[in-house]
Amino acid sequence: MHNDFHRIKRLPPYVFEQVNRLKAEARARGDDIIDFGMGNPDMPTPQHIVDKLVETVRDPRTNRYSASKGIGGLRRAQAKYYERRFGVKLNPDTQVVATLGSRKAFANVAQAITAPGDVILVPNPTYPIHEFGFIMSGGVIRHLPASTDSQFMVSLDKAVRHSVPKPSALVLNYPANPTAVVANRDFYREVVSFARKNDLIVLSDLAYAEIYFDGDPPPSILEIPGAIDIAVEFTSLSKTYSMPGWRMGFAVGNERLIQALTRVKSYLDYGAFTPIQVAATAALNGPQDCIDEIRGIYRRRRDCLVDAVSRAGWPIPSPPATMFAWAPIPDMFAHIGSLEFSKLLLERASVAVSPGVGFGEYGEGYVRIALVENEQRIRQAARNIRKFLTESANALHNVIPIASKANRTF
């Protein structure tokens, strides 16, 4: 059978699969792997949300197909969330659609707006779906720095002036996965002004809106006047309420773009299981102290990771937001790259991380560490890492004199 399918051929090798395979082999041997690889929240979903799911699933009427764009109560709840959190008023009927997680929403919107050969501006490094969703839809990717400094706007202007055809869309992701960079309103004002002048669609991934530790809460691009004319924003309940497997997210913003997404989505799914949508409504409308509790757990894990691993000999920058640390590879391993370092860390320290190169070529030299293990496990990982680094430094020290001796002239 011919296996060279067009869309499959356009996809690059999946870097994470190599680490995942080694991780599975290690576990099959009985190794205890401390897994910081996948951003998969490990905390229980708040009880009132689970209770609402159980209550609703007992009603046989909820077993039927649901509404693809989301039940009315859920869309209204998301609109209310945007109003109280960001001061943004949305029409739940025309500017809000419920999605099967924000990742699927990105893939669906790419299908909705991308013609073959369209140029899409994507940050690098970034979460893979921001790029691959458009590649699978026939788009062409041009990379921008994943930052919020002046270089971003310089690069954006250059990309628009020198790309043929002119770019049609710009992807933003702040707080950023994997780098944890946070954007402010001044940055969004510049982007919105530029996008309006240059007829650019802006797709903003705000999945980590509620996982922040330092400074003010991250803003929404839709807070900026005029953003609603050109922008759609994606959010998720996965991290906010520790509901990753529930697959519940949203796209909100420009009516024309939301209509396009809703139409494509209507051909592809019937929406999330109704009891999940009802429980998600309870999450958004119910008590919000659980968000503070979840954020507090991530903050304590962040502080524990930064302190313990840094003292073990590997300095870890403290992330201001998200559930990730973006850490440069220790100097002694810089020459082997992020993928080989991640393999070595797994094999020698039983610690799994994500190689930075998996998030784009400019992620090389870094690894992403997810805050998905408790503080006791984090401290154990730090002890394993200390032992690994010490042994590696000793081995390197022993090799250098031999090499020097071999080069002597007698």
Side-chain angles (χ1 to χ4, degrees):
M1 182 179 289
H2 182 65
N3 290 323
D4 294 331
F5 301 115
H6 171 67
R7 297 194 191 282
I8 300 300
K9 286 193 296 182
R10 297 197 73 210
L11 292 174
Y14 192 58
V15 172
F16 303 118
E17 182 55 35
Q18 297 184 48
V19 178
N20 291 341
R21 184 177 65 252
L22 290 175
K23 189 163 54 178
E25 292 171 358
R27 283 178 170 149
R29 294 192 301 267
D31 295 351
D32 178 22
I33 302 300
I34 302 174
D35 194 353
F36 300 124
M38 185 178 180
N40 191 4
D42 63 312
M43 289 171 264
T45 303
Q47 191 60 46
H48 69 281
I49 302 172
V50 175
D51 290 343
K52 179 55 70 172
L53 174 73
V54 172
E55 174 192 328
T56 310
V57 82
R58 288 195 173 110
D59 183 347
R61 292 173 299 178
T62 64
N63 293 333
R64 309 183 73 181
Y65 294 126
S66 193
S68 178
K69 69 182 294 185
I71 60 176
L74 178 57
R75 287 183 281 111
R76 289 191 292 273
Q78 177 68 351
K80 289 177 183 175
Y81 164 76
Y82 257 78
E83 185 168 8
R84 70 173 180 264
R85 172 68 166 79
F86 304 112
V88 173
K89 293 187 177 182
L90 297 167
N91 184 330
D93 295 323
T94 61
Q95 295 177 315
V96 179
V97 58
T99 64
L100 301 178
S102 58
R103 180 178 179 178
K104 181 74 178 295
F106 239 95
N108 287 163
V109 83
Q111 291 172 295
I113 70 171
T114 310
D118 278 358
V119 176
I120 311 297
L121 305 177
V122 178
N124 187 334
T126 195
Y127 187 55
I129 196 62
H130 298 154
E131 180 172 1
F132 299 156
F134 289 99
I135 289 175
M136 286 188 284
S137 299
V140 176
I141 304 301
R142 179 157 182 166
H143 291 141
L144 299 174
S147 65
T148 58
D149 57 21
S150 59
Q151 185 58 43
F152 180 90
M153 294 306 300
V154 170
S155 299
L156 177 58
D157 179 66
K158 185 183 298 184
V160 169
R161 286 190 290 110
H162 296 294
S163 295
V164 179
K166 188 176 76 67
S168 60
L170 165 67
V171 175
L172 299 178
N173 174 216
Y174 303 104
N177 177 7
T179 64
V181 171
V182 179
N184 59 31
R185 291 175 184 82
D186 289 338
F187 171 80
Y188 284 139
R189 285 189 191 95
E190 284 192 84
V191 170
V192 169
S193 175
F194 183 92
R196 286 168 60 88
K197 290 176 184 175
N198 290 277
D199 196 25
L200 269 179
I201 293 168
V202 179
L203 305 174
S204 170
D205 185 346
L206 192 61
Y208 296 92
E210 303 301 345
I211 310 299
Y212 60 90
F213 314 118
D214 305 327
D216 296 329
S220 161
I221 194 172
L222 297 179
E223 294 179 37
I224 307 305
I228 198 73
D229 299 330
I230 44 92
V232 166
E233 194 156 66
F234 302 85
T235 58
S236 168
L237 303 191
S238 296
K239 282 74 180 180
T240 304
Y241 298 99
S242 195
M243 297 170 63
W246 300 54
R247 306 314 304 134
M248 181 52 62
F250 300 91
V252 306
N254 178 264
E255 288 188 14
R256 177 169 168 265
L257 295 172
I258 292 296
Q259 182 182 28
L261 169 59
T262 302
R263 185 170 184 187
V264 165
K265 192 175 179 300
S266 70
Y267 284 92
L268 299 175
D269 67 67
Y270 288 106
F273 186 35
T274 297
I276 290 178
Q277 295 196 49
V278 173
T281 305
L284 289 166
N285 288 340
Q288 301 299 297
D289 54 340
C290 57
I291 299 178
D292 296 329
E293 293 172 6
I294 290 169
R295 186 188 303 120
I297 291 172
Y298 281 128
R299 179 185 286 110
R300 290 191 292 275
R301 289 180 179 181
R302 176 201 67 165
D303 294 344
C304 180
L305 177 80
V306 169
D307 176 64
V309 178
S310 295
R311 284 192 290 107
W314 180 10
I316 303 291
S318 182
T322 77
M323 57 186 292
F324 306 111
W326 185 238
I329 297 171
D331 290 342
M332 76 175 86
F333 300 103
H335 65 287
I336 68 173
S338 62
L339 178 56
E340 292 306 316
F341 172 73
S342 298
K343 292 178 182 179
L344 201 59
L345 192 65
L346 180 62
E347 293 167 354
R348 301 275 298 279
S350 296
V351 173
V353 297
S354 292
V357 71
F359 301 96
E361 61 182 310
Y362 301 134
E364 185 54 275
Y366 291 80
V367 295
R368 191 192 73 175
I369 306 172
L371 303 173
V372 292
E373 295 272 12
N374 63 41
E375 292 171 56
Q376 179 181 346
R377 298 278 285 172
I378 291 171
R379 294 188 189 96
Q380 179 60 56
R383 289 191 289 272
N384 293 2
I385 289 168
R386 179 190 292 276
K387 183 172 182 288
F388 163 62
L389 293 177
T390 301
E391 291 174 349
S392 299
N394 289 339
L396 187 62
H397 175 75
N398 291 334
V399 167
I400 291 173
I402 295 172
S404 299
K405 183 177 181 180
N407 291 330
R408 288 178 188 167
T409 301
F410 293 96

